[in-house]
């Protein structure tokens, strides 16, 4: 009997699309069969890379979403497009499915789900109406260092001493790769929207028992947050930003936050108060992308840091190196003692994420993280923005359906 393999189309051929393609070398239950992009040349380039890596055969490039989902080989799509395109892309997909011009069975969407809670709910409603299985692409929940530590602490620590009560998660680097990320209107905010989505869901995951949906275990109580533009609104760096990313806003007149911190208070399933702390930054200058996690309980704790790697390399000042990111994502130097992340797609969770979603979709099952979790994350992010704007703690329940942060309106001033 021939083994069944899921046919996957990636919609979006940018930086994150390249990460997903590289992760696919370890995914067994799915092949990439199509790549879509607004620019056909970009789709063709990533399709060629997919074939070179052996993660797909005859990978077809498209510059039209509807045409891609009408491809008979495409059974599931991963939506990796910029935040301001999410609603229109999902609408185009669901229109084809409802009209029965597509045999699509499932859809997965990259973090954050949308720019606002209203958009997130609209996306989920369209997908549910179309009858599609759906998954939320939050890679950090699948990072092996996090999943293994989470499992051990709950089995050996929480089982004996009680539930954990404090999670701390941080993501920091020197700034995004594309101009649209820097634009609060297109992206939906700054670093809080771009990266706090990781930290809040990682925190919820760590505070929740294995196999339980965080949204059923944790009830939000309050959010306290602050945001600031620490680096990129300074004249020198505003100029550098405009030079490096043509089309990005001038941060002297229209900044987005490059630093954010938030404190999320919940009541867990046993009626206990627990807290998730998140810190994110586009103004961190170090070896490269740094992800750090902590979980604390009554008699136990865990910690992980992606820059505390199993291997390091050293290059002396006598060597002149060209700039690159062959050691770590967002690499900031080519000399000295530097960490080496041997397989970033695996270490950051993309490999196990795509393996899990592909297997679930192939079996006709919902994955652990559905788009309902993505909606919950957006709601928490909007509460954090509201707290930062008003300078007060936001308590639940709160109506955020029509809330648009000042950063996303282009009117925020530090």
């Amino acid at each position: 009997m021939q083994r069944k393999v899921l046919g996957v189309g990636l919609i979006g051929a940018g930086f994150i699309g390249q990460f997903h393609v590289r992760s696919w070398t370890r995914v067994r239950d799915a092949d990439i069969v199509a790549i879509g992009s607004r620019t056909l040349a970009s789709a063709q380039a990533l399709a060629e890379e997919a074939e070179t890596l052996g993660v797909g055969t005859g990978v077809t490039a498209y510059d039209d979403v509807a045409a891609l989902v009408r491809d008979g080989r495409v059974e599931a799509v991963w939506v990796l497009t910029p935040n301001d395109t999410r609603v229109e892309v999902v609408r185009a997909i669901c229109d084809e499915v409802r009209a029965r011009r597509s045999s699509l069975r499932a859809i997965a969407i990259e973090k954050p789900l949308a720019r606002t809670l209203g958009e997130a709910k609209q996306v989920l409603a369209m997908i549910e109406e179309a009858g599609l299985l759906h998954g939320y692409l939050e890679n950090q929940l699948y990072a092996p260092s996090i999943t293994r530590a989470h499992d051990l602490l709950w089995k050996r620590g929480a089982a004996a001493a009680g539930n954990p009560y404090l999670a701390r998660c941080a993501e920091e680097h020197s700034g995004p790769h594309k101009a649209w990320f820097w634009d609060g209107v297109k992206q939906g905010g700054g670093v809080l929207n771009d990266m706090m989505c990781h930290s809040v869901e990682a925190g919820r995951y760590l505070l929740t028992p294995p196999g339980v949906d965080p949204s059923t275990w944790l009830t939000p109580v309050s959010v306290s947050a602050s945001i600031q533009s620490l680096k990129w609104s300074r004249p020198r760096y505003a100029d550098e930003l405009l030079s490096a990313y043509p089309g990005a806003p001038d941060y002297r007149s229209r900044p987005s936050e490059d630093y954010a911190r938030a404190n999320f208070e919940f009541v867990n399933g046993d009626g206990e108060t627990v807290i998730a702390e998140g810190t994110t930054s586009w103004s961190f200058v170090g070896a490269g992308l740094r992800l750090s996690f902590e979980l604390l309980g009554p008699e136990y704790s865990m910690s992980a840091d992606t820059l505390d790697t199993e291997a390091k390399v050293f290059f002396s000042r006598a060597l002149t190196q060209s700039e690159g990111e062959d050691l770590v994502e967002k690499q900031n130097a080519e000399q000295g003692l530097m960490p080496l992340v041997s397989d970033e797609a695996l270490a950051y969770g993309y490999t196990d994420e795509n393996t899990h979603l592909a297997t679930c979709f192939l079996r006709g099952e919902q994955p652990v993280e559905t788009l309902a979790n993505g909606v919950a994350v957006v709601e928490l992010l909007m509460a954090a923005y509201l707290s930062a704007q008003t300078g007060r703690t936001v308590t639940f329940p709160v109506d955020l359906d029509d809330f648009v942060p000042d950063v996303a309106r282009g009117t925020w001033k530090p």
Side-chain angles (χ1 to χ4, degrees):
M1 180 177 175
Q2 188 174 8
R3 186 171 67 90
K4 175 64 177 171
V5 177
L6 186 75
V8 173
L10 303 186
I11 302 175
F15 176 80
I16 195 66
Q18 294 164 12
F19 240 117
H20 280 282
V21 167
R22 291 197 299 272
S23 80
W24 228 270
T25 57
R26 296 173 184 257
V27 177
R28 289 177 48 83
D29 288 338
D31 285 342
I32 296 173
V33 298
I35 304 285
S37 175
R38 290 174 293 184
T39 305
L40 186 59
S42 297
Q44 290 171 334
L46 192 57
E48 290 173 7
E49 183 175 349
E51 296 218 23
T52 299
L53 290 173
V55 299
T57 303
V59 182
T60 308
Y62 293 93
D63 60 3
D64 179 72
V65 171
L68 183 147
V69 296
R70 287 197 297 265
D71 185 326
R73 295 199 301 162
V74 176
E75 299 169 284
V77 290
W78 269 226
V79 177
L80 316 173
T81 59
N83 299 356
D84 61 324
T85 69
R86 293 287 170 81
V87 172
E88 65 175 276
V89 167
V90 170
R91 181 180 292 113
I93 293 168
C94 292
D95 284 349
E96 295 302 309
V97 173
R98 287 195 301 270
R100 299 185 179 181
R101 293 189 292 266
S102 170
S103 57
L104 199 71
R105 66 168 81 172
I107 184 170
I109 302 180
E110 187 59 61
K111 66 80 197 171
L113 180 55
R115 295 177 297 178
T116 66
L117 183 58
E119 286 186 352
K121 288 184 174 181
Q122 184 180 359
V123 165
L124 178 58
M126 288 190 291
I127 290 168
E128 289 182 334
E129 184 182 350
L132 296 171
L133 296 170
H134 50 84
Y136 180 49
L137 293 170
E138 176 42 76
N139 58 284
Q140 291 184 8
L141 305 196
Y142 300 88
S145 60
I146 306 307
T147 58
R148 182 62 175 148
H150 174 253
D151 186 56
L152 281 171
L153 258 65
W154 275 93
K155 284 185 177 179
R156 297 176 67 89
N163 298 321
Y165 40 65
L166 177 61
R168 296 191 183 106
C169 304
E171 179 167 3
E172 304 164 288
H173 60 60
S174 55
H177 282 293
K178 296 288 186 179
W180 72 266
F181 278 101
W182 296 94
D183 189 326
V185 175
K186 292 181 179 179
Q187 196 256 105
V191 72
L192 191 154
N193 197 55
D194 181 40
M195 299 197 326
M196 189 71 77
C197 55
H198 284 305
S199 299
V200 66
E201 192 64 343
R204 292 205 314 158
Y205 168 76
L206 289 170
L207 290 166
T208 300
V212 177
D213 186 339
S215 294
T216 63
W217 179 252
L218 299 174
T219 301
V221 174
S222 66
V223 179
S224 175
S226 64
I227 62 175
Q228 190 51 261
S229 181
L230 297 176
K231 175 180 179 179
W232 294 103
S233 57
R234 296 184 179 187
R236 169 185 170 183
Y237 295 104
D239 286 338
E240 285 189 12
L241 181 59
L242 290 172
S243 175
Y245 300 103
D250 187 335
Y251 267 44
R252 284 164 293 200
S253 57
R254 189 160 70 85
S256 297
E257 77 279 359
D258 61 17
Y259 167 83
R261 70 98 195 147
N263 183 297
F264 302 90
E265 182 178 321
F266 304 93
V267 170
N268 70 15
D270 287 333
E272 303 160 327
T273 295
V274 297
I275 291 174
E277 296 178 358
T279 303
T280 53
S281 173
W282 285 343
S283 50
F284 169 74
V285 179
L289 170 67
R290 179 170 70 180
L291 309 176
S292 59
F293 309 87
E294 292 181 80
L295 182 63
L296 284 68
E299 299 291 342
Y300 53 87
S301 64
M302 63 78 69
S303 65
D305 187 326
T306 58
L307 292 185
D308 185 15
T309 58
E310 72 275 17
K312 294 179 174 64
V313 297
F314 174 81
F315 296 110
S316 80
R317 64 172 64 101
L319 297 178
T320 301
Q321 305 284 338
S322 59
E323 292 186 9
E325 290 193 1
D326 49 347
L327 301 179
V328 61
E329 183 186 338
K330 307 298 192 299
Q331 186 174 324
N332 287 319
E334 278 69 39
Q335 290 178 320
L337 183 64
M338 293 174 289
L340 168 64
V341 180
S342 57
D343 186 337
E344 289 186 302
L346 177 64
Y348 301 156
Y350 292 97
T351 301
D352 288 350
E353 170 187 69
N354 288 329
T355 296
H356 173 72
L357 265 71
T359 301
C360 287
F361 290 161
L362 192 59
R363 294 173 177 173
E365 301 170 355
Q366 291 281 49
V368 171
E369 284 276 301
T370 71
L371 294 181
N373 297 93
V375 172
V377 169
V378 173
E379 183 175 29
L380 290 167
L381 297 182
M382 294 303 106
Y385 271 119
L386 180 59
S387 173
Q389 286 182 198
T390 61
R392 62 176 178 83
T393 298
V394 172
T395 57
F396 287 84
V398 56
D399 184 2
L400 296 165
D401 284 358
D402 298 321
F403 175 68
V404 180
D406 288 346
V407 187
R409 296 180 186 272
T411 61
W412 178 71
K413 302 298 179 185

